[in-house]
């Protein structure tokens, strides 16, 4: 092997050593960065949307401002009635099954859990009114979003200074009413199917 060939091989070897050194330093920097990020605690994260997935990678919870403007119900997409900011709960097939929302147009704050096609129960704050509503399961031929018959209504009306609990029958008729009015008088009323009071406490 002559001197020229030996020098060429030596230069080639130097280049390889140089690139190996650069690669090693870069890899070390990346590892240090990953370790630092893993150990770091973020005090503030600013973003528009976060998807939380299950062990199979399916989206099960969405935190967004606003949440998606379409909702999946029984495998089909439907437009959302109004813009909502908050959290969306999804089943394993991607159907919406509930959520927590802030709705600006009506100044509403909402927590709902759903049947397959409509709400099952909701807690709402609308301006100064607070309420809890529970519904029967919708009929099989009901349209998407059409709730079943309301069976329970309870809440606080700040405008009327009234606390109330109302039980309704399967036709949506009020049958038992319990409330404390603005004069701090507690009352219980039992109504027939036509809405006539048939029993009340106090009796006067």
């Amino acid at each position: 092997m002559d001197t020229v060939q030996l020098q060429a091989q030596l230069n080639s070897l130097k280049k390889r050593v140089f690139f190996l050194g650069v690669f090693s330093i870069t890899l070390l920097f990346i590892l240090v960065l990953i370790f630092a990020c893993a150990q770091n605690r973020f005090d503030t994260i600013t973003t528009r949307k976060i998807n939380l997935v299950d062990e199979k990678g399916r989206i099960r919870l969405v935190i967004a401002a606003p949440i998606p403007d379409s909702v999946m119900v029984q495998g089909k997409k439907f437009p959302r009635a109004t813009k909502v900011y908050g959290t969306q709960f999804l089943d394993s097939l991607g159907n919406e099954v509930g959520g927590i929302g802030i709705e600006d147009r009506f100044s509403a704050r909402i927590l709902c859990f759903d049947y397959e096609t409509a709400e099952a129960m909701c807690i709402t704050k609308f301006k100064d009114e607070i309420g809890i509503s529970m519904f029967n399961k919708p009929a099989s031929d009901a349209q998407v979003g059409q709730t079943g018959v309301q069976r329970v209504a309870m809440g606080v009306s700040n405008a009327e200074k009234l606390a109330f609990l109302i039980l309704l029958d399967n036709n949506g008729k009020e049958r038992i009413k319990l409330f404390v009015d603005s004069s701090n008088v507690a009352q219980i009323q039992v109504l027939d199917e036509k809405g006539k009071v048939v029993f009340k406490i106090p009796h006067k």
Side-chain angles (χ1 to χ4, degrees):
M1 180 180 295
D2 57 23
T3 304
V4 176
Q5 290 178 328
L6 184 61
Q7 187 64 41
Q9 290 186 359
L10 183 59
N11 290 337
S12 176
L13 181 61
K14 286 181 179 179
K15 290 181 180 179
R16 293 179 181 178
V17 171
F18 173 76
F19 285 118
L20 181 60
V22 172
F23 175 77
S24 299
I25 293 173
T26 303
L27 180 60
L28 179 62
F29 175 76
I30 293 173
L31 291 175
V32 170
L33 184 62
I34 292 174
F35 178 78
C37 290
Q39 296 298 315
N40 193 22
R41 184 182 67 187
F42 295 95
D43 293 325
T44 302
I45 298 176
T46 302
T47 186
R48 293 290 303 279
K49 183 180 180 182
I50 297 174
N51 292 334
L52 299 183
V53 300
D54 62 17
E55 67 280 1
K56 294 184 178 180
R58 299 172 298 198
I59 299 175
R60 303 302 297 270
L61 190 148
V62 177
I63 303 172
I67 59 176
D69 58 5
S70 63
V71 54
M72 184 83 77
V73 178
Q74 294 186 323
K76 297 180 180 180
K77 285 188 176 183
F78 296 86
R80 195 175 296 281
T82 187
K83 185 177 290 186
V84 178
Y85 304 86
T87 303
Q88 179 187 31
F89 306 137
L90 305 172
D91 66 13
S92 61
L93 299 177
N95 299 302
E96 184 174 280
V97 295
I100 302 171
I102 299 172
E103 200 283 334
D104 290 336
R105 187 172 61 170
F106 299 108
S107 299
R109 311 294 181 257
I110 307 166
L111 165 63
C112 287
F113 295 99
D114 303 339
Y115 293 117
E116 289 83 356
T117 60
E119 290 83 2
M121 66 86 63
C122 287
I123 302 174
T124 59
K125 175 187 176 295
F126 175 68
K127 296 183 179 179
D128 291 330
E129 310 302 309
I130 305 167
I132 300 176
S133 300
M134 301 181 187
F135 305 90
N136 278 350
K137 189 173 183 178
S140 58
D141 59 350
Q143 296 182 352
V144 171
Q146 180 181 349
T147 59
V149 175
Q150 185 175 9
R151 299 301 306 278
V152 177
M154 62 183 297
V156 173
S157 171
N158 286 288
E160 300 179 11
K161 297 183 179 180
L162 177 73
F164 62 90
L165 168 63
I166 302 174
L167 305 182
L168 303 92
D169 62 21
N170 281 307
N171 295 315
K173 302 291 186 179
E174 296 180 353
R175 302 303 296 269
I176 300 176
K177 299 170 67 174
L178 298 85
F179 54 92
V180 179
D181 63 20
S182 59
S183 300
N184 297 322
V185 175
Q187 296 188 47
I188 301 175
Q189 296 180 357
V190 178
L191 301 87
D192 64 17
E193 60 185 8
K194 295 181 179 180
K196 180 181 178 180
V197 177
V198 295
F199 176 81
K200 67 178 181 179
I201 300 176
H203 298 289
K204 60 180 180 179

